[in-house]
Amino acid sequence: MTLTYPTTDQVIADPAPVVVHNPEEVSQAAIGEIVDTVVDATQVEAKAESTEIPA
């Protein structure tokens, strides 16, 4: 999945392939990837905001 910032369409996270061995694992792997991507992007954004100097 590619995660983009909705206002600017800037790519926040690029997709990474996930290999599963059983068809039953596909939905769980997809959900896990979505959660991981959103959490990682949120942490990167929070870290960037914490380093900004207020005007």
Side-chain angles (χ1 to χ4, degrees), residues 2-13 41-42 45 49 52:
T2 301
L3 185 63
T4 59
Y5 191 73
T7 307
T8 63
D9 289 331
Q10 176 186 4
V11 174
I12 299 170
T42 303
E45 187 173 309
E49 287 176 357
E52 292 177 1

Side-chain angles (χ1 to χ4, degrees), residues 2 4 11 13 20 27 39 46 48 50 53-55:
T2 301
T4 59
V11 174
V20 294
S27 61
V39 169
S50 69
I53 300 171

Side-chain angles (χ1 to χ4, degrees), residues 34-46:
I34 291 168
V35 170
D36 291 346
T37 301
V38 171
V39 169
D40 289 346
T42 303
Q43 290 174 347
V44 168
E45 187 173 309

